[in-house]
Amino acid sequence: MSTATALRTFPDVRADFPGLTPGWHYLDTAATAQKPQAVIDATVNAMGRDYATVHRGVYARSADMTLAYEAARRRIAAFIGAKEEQIAFVRGATEAINLVAYSHPKKGRILLSMLEHHSNIVPWQLAGWQVDVCPLTADGCIDLDAAEKLLTSEHRMVAFAHVSNVLGSPLDVARAAELAHRVGAELLIDGCQAVPRLPVDVAALGCDYYVFSGHKLYGPTGIGALWSDKLDRLPPWQGGGSMIDRVTFAKTTYAPAPTRFEAGTPAIIEAIGLAAAVDYVEALGVDAIHAHEVALVGSLREALARKNSITLFGPENSAGIVSFAIAGVHPHDIGTILDESGVAIRAGHHCAQPLMEHLGVPATARASFGVYSNSDDVAALIEGLSRVERIFG
């Protein structure tokens, strides 16, 4: 499909997003996505008209809310080709990675990549894993040929981003899984940037753990998911109500997965809101979303490549994300001037300081697209960057 066709055929959904005020060009979806009215309505109803606790009450509304909460789990599981008992609700991808890092019974060496988000670095360090680092290819993708050479029988885990939050670099997850499993390691995939814009089938990918956050998938904050077909092998990492089988002062036994990982009152409202977000995304079609964002990325990269003052980072096939720098201009200044023109981008190290060091820059400017993005956003960004160049020229 051509760029023009992809942009022309994708529906204009901006009216579905009350946060997108007229004249404002939101290009920071990789940080957090705006919420469609359907998600807002679902959360408002769950918090008001339908609200009750789950799993404990014997009254009708509690039972109804329990059904809705578990239906949300099934909905989210189906979205990534999983079974409901393989989905644990967590506060986000960060908590999911911490859960695996601390609970895994065979801590040892782990292979990360140079482009990982801090949330896929720091938890492993804190939990006592020994970190090795896989380099990147010249265009900013995880170098799986290098990973193959680095992996040894001492590695217990490989943890890579499915799509880089800075470079938009996509990962061949199936090959990464094959390489990890060849040496007896497991593979955890950070899917935060992939789930909103790429079709994900965890069974086909072959990974052992897949994590993502709801707020990047047009859902609420404070909710995410950990998928694994190995949850029953992990001990609980937080204790409290709901995650138990029987408690005595002498000994406690625990509920089966995924309940054992959901201590305390769960994020009921947020789970229902996330299910509504999944419904919204699937109604648009993930393949169509991907084609739309590919077209926008291509259009923006082509325009930026014509500017001699701009350095582009990441591969040509970056997924929904374009990072760049302007010679002699700090990204914070770029972001501030663009904001004056009604264009919202991200500027900074993007919680990826090791990657910034690798790129040789203190920070980058980043534009990231969503289902509501369009060619007007690209045009406004280009016009705003021309103003930046005039000011600093």
Side-chain angles (χ1 to χ4, degrees):
M1 183 184 297
S2 69
T3 297
T5 301
L7 294 176
R8 186 174 62 252
T9 58
F10 194 80
D12 181 358
V13 298
R14 285 181 63 89
D16 294 344
F17 293 83
L20 296 177
T21 52
W24 192 51
H25 302 276
Y26 184 71
L27 293 170
D28 196 21
T29 299
T32 195
Q34 295 291 320
K35 317 307 173 193
Q37 190 64 49
V39 169
I40 296 169
D41 291 344
T43 56
V44 167
N45 289 336
M47 188 181 292
R49 181 193 68 192
D50 304 329
Y51 186 72
T53 193
V54 297
H55 296 150
R56 299 187 182 103
V58 296
Y59 50 93
R61 187 183 288 189
S62 176
D64 289 343
M65 186 60 93
T66 298
L67 291 174
Y69 178 74
E70 293 303 331
R73 191 192 308 275
R74 288 193 299 275
R75 186 71 188 88
I76 291 152
F79 183 60
I80 60 169
K83 299 177 182 178
E84 62 181 295
E85 64 270 18
Q86 298 170 340
I87 293 288
F89 284 129
V90 286
R91 288 188 299 118
T94 298
E95 183 171 87
I97 295 170
N98 274 275
L99 190 162
V100 176
Y102 280 95
S103 292
H104 200 281
K106 295 182 179 179
K107 297 179 180 65
R109 301 205 74 82
I110 181 170
L111 183 66
L112 305 176
S113 85
M114 185 64 69
L115 57 68
E116 299 307 318
H117 191 282
H118 294 166
S119 64
N120 199 24
I121 300 173
V122 179
W124 304 105
Q125 294 172 330
L126 287 173
W129 294 72
Q130 294 81 55
V131 174
D132 294 316
V133 183
C134 180
L136 307 181
T137 60
D139 64 352
C141 295
I142 297 173
D143 190 339
L144 293 180
D145 290 337
E148 183 174 12
K149 296 173 183 176
L150 287 167
L151 284 167
T152 72
S153 59
E154 293 184 7
H155 287 96
R156 296 287 180 262
M157 186 72 68
V158 177
F160 288 160
H162 195 167
V163 170
S164 166
N165 74 302
V166 178
L167 305 175
S169 315
L171 174 70
D172 182 348
V173 178
R175 186 180 176 211
E178 191 276 324
L179 295 177
H181 296 159
R182 188 186 299 174
V183 298
E186 295 178 329
L187 176 65
L188 180 144
I189 293 296
D190 172 0
C192 283
Q193 300 298 339
V195 166
R197 54 180 53 92
L198 296 177
V200 172
D201 183 335
V202 289
L205 292 176
C207 55
D208 301 281
Y209 307 93
Y210 198 97
V211 308
F212 62 93
S213 296
H215 71 101
K216 298 178 192 294
L217 184 59
Y218 309 97
T221 55
I223 186 74
L226 163 64
W227 168 85
S228 180
D229 58 2
K230 299 173 175 62
L231 288 182
D232 273 326
R233 303 180 193 179
L234 300 181
W237 79 299
Q238 292 180 328
S242 298
M243 48 76 69
I244 56 91
D245 172 37
R246 178 171 173 76
V247 175
T248 71
F249 286 110
K251 180 181 179 181
T252 294
T253 55
Y254 306 106
T259 306
R260 70 166 60 142
F261 301 113
E262 297 177 8
T265 300
I268 306 166
I269 296 161
E270 293 80 359
I272 291 169
L274 181 53
V278 167
D279 285 341
Y280 185 86
V281 167
E282 285 211 322
L284 290 174
V286 180
D287 287 325
I289 292 170
H290 179 54
H292 178 65
E293 293 191 359
V294 164
L296 290 167
V297 165
S299 175
L300 178 57
R301 288 184 70 93
E302 181 181 353
L304 295 182
R306 291 195 292 266
K307 292 178 173 288
N308 293 331
S309 63
I310 290 184
T311 299
L312 278 165
F313 302 102
E316 292 293 330
N317 67 334
S318 57
I321 295 168
V322 178
S323 277
F324 60 93
I326 299 180
V329 187
H330 195 283
H332 289 169
D333 292 325
I334 298 173
T336 299
I337 294 169
L338 288 174
D339 184 48
E340 294 172 356
S341 301
V343 179
I345 65 161
R346 196 70 158 188
H349 58 64
H350 316 294
C351 293
Q353 288 176 321
L355 176 58
M356 295 298 111
E357 184 175 352
H358 169 75
L359 296 175
V361 296
T364 70
R366 182 189 70 187
S368 53
F369 298 110
V371 298
Y372 33 67
S373 304
N374 57 34
S375 55
D376 290 342
D377 297 319
V378 174
L381 174 58
I382 298 302
E383 182 179 347
L385 292 176
S386 295
R387 180 168 179 255
V388 172
E389 290 175 313
R390 289 195 299 273
I391 291 173
F392 286 89

